[in-house]
Amino acid sequence: MVLDTINIVKEYYEKGYKKKGASFQRKYPNEELCRFIGRNFYSISRKRRKKIKILEVGSGSGGNLWMLANEGFKSYGLDISKKSVEIAKNLLRKKNLKADIDHGSMTILPYEDNFFDCIVDIFSSSCLDSEDGIKFLNEVSRTLKKNGSFFSYFPSKNSKMFKSKNKKMIDRDTIFNLRNKRNAYRINNCPFRFLRKKQYMTILKKNSLKVFYSEEIKKTYFNGKENFNFIVIEGRKI
């Protein structure tokens, strides 16, 4: 199946944010992102944090970004939806926090080589098909400083949702449509990519990102009737 997936994703999120505003996405930071920040930056003073550049790709309405800014990092956000950028800027302004938030695609990051100390991807590059997912990781490797960190929270193929027979696929990793009426996450003609942990680690290695930490977390929904697994992975540019 050949699709213009970038524009499909752009239209999907633009409509969603225009219709539901900030409530279209999370309002509070991802718990695994909080653990990542704690593991790697807890002992670093706020004075030093001001020089640490962290980018969140797919920053949406700012649910993770405001936490990064509040923790004192030089924070950046990037999102494909103009409306989400507007919402996130308003949120940070209300909280009296600062972050540089840009509109653009994560497959062409609008930043210089070796610019960031850390790049964060929370359930965002999963909206890319396999080909564009590789482009994104090329950009991550390009824009990270040497020894810079990449943190990702990503859908696992061990999820019940991926194993469903009632799905249409773009490629071997990416669902485009799922006809089941009840799932932990909805797919309405928008790409949703899944990986296995070892598969993800191999892809990262090919993009000069060495994995230093990895977990697979199982969550259940609908009173335990559906499992959804998440890959939590941390790489560093070598």
Side-chain angles (χ1 to χ4, degrees):
M1 184 184 294
V2 179
L3 296 168
D4 185 358
T5 54
I6 297 296
N7 280 322
I8 288 171
V9 171
K10 182 178 180 179
E11 183 178 350
Y12 174 80
Y13 281 100
E14 204 67 70
K15 285 183 178 179
Y17 283 111
K18 285 180 179 179
K19 183 178 180 179
K20 296 185 178 180
S23 63
F24 186 57
Q25 293 290 311
R26 66 166 58 243
K27 295 182 180 179
Y28 295 96
N30 174 271
E31 60 273 27
E32 293 302 323
L33 173 60
C34 293
R35 292 180 67 195
F36 165 75
I37 294 297
R39 283 195 303 272
N40 290 276
F41 300 103
Y42 177 78
S43 61
I44 296 176
S45 69
R46 293 189 71 87
K47 183 178 180 180
R48 286 178 59 201
R49 288 184 189 185
K50 290 179 181 179
K51 297 182 179 180
I52 297 174
K53 299 176 182 177
I54 299 183
L55 167 69
E56 183 191 8
V57 293
S59 51
S61 52
N64 295 309
L65 198 57
W66 72 258
M67 182 273 288
L68 295 173
N70 189 60
E71 287 296 302
F73 300 104
K74 189 167 179 56
S75 304
Y76 295 77
L78 180 76
D79 202 274
I80 200 167
S81 163
K82 289 183 179 180
K83 185 62 178 177
S84 75
V85 170
E86 176 188 325
I87 292 169
K89 286 182 176 180
N90 287 337
L91 172 67
L92 268 74
R93 192 178 301 115
K94 288 178 181 179
K95 291 181 177 290
N96 197 29
L97 297 169
K98 293 182 179 181
D100 293 324
I101 310 174
D102 294 309
H103 169 247
S105 170
M106 66 180 75
T107 60
I108 310 174
L109 297 179
Y111 309 102
E112 298 175 0
D113 295 356
N114 309 307
F115 187 75
F116 292 108
D117 298 283
C118 178
I119 296 177
V120 171
D121 166 29
I122 308 295
F123 235 53
S124 293
S125 68
S126 55
C127 290
L128 302 173
D129 63 23
S130 295
E131 183 178 348
D132 283 331
I134 296 298
K135 291 179 182 178
F136 163 63
L137 290 175
N138 287 338
E139 286 291 274
V140 169
S141 184
R142 178 185 67 80
T143 55
L144 270 181
K145 297 176 182 177
K146 187 176 180 180
N147 295 319
S149 297
F150 172 63
F151 176 78
S152 182
Y153 185 76
F154 200 92
S156 165
K157 284 185 176 179
N158 289 323
S159 302
K160 182 179 179 181
M161 190 173 176
F162 185 79
K163 297 176 182 179
S164 172
K165 296 179 180 179
N166 299 317
K167 62 181 182 290
K168 292 182 180 179
M169 305 288 291
I170 297 174
D171 52 50
R172 66 172 186 157
D173 301 324
T174 315
I175 300 175
F176 184 67
N177 192 291
L178 187 63
R179 292 190 295 276
N180 290 1
K181 293 182 179 180
R182 195 178 190 191
N183 295 289
Y185 294 89
R186 300 288 182 264
I187 299 177
N188 300 311
N189 297 323
C190 188
F192 199 178
R193 185 164 52 104
F194 295 73
L195 294 170
R196 298 196 186 280
K197 190 169 73 169
K198 286 186 178 179
Q199 180 187 5
Y200 201 178
M201 292 171 73
T202 298
I203 294 170
L204 291 174
K205 185 177 180 180
K206 289 180 180 179
N207 286 274
S208 300
L209 295 163
K210 183 177 180 180
V211 175
F212 280 81
Y213 180 93
S214 65
E215 300 284 353
E216 183 157 339
I217 297 173
K218 177 182 176 180
K219 293 186 179 181
T220 60
Y221 297 80
F222 312 120
N223 293 315
K225 293 181 180 179
E226 180 180 359
N227 77 284
F228 197 100
N229 288 30
F230 303 84
I231 300 169
V232 178
I233 206 158
E234 178 184 339
R236 293 181 193 167
K237 182 178 174 180
I238 56 176

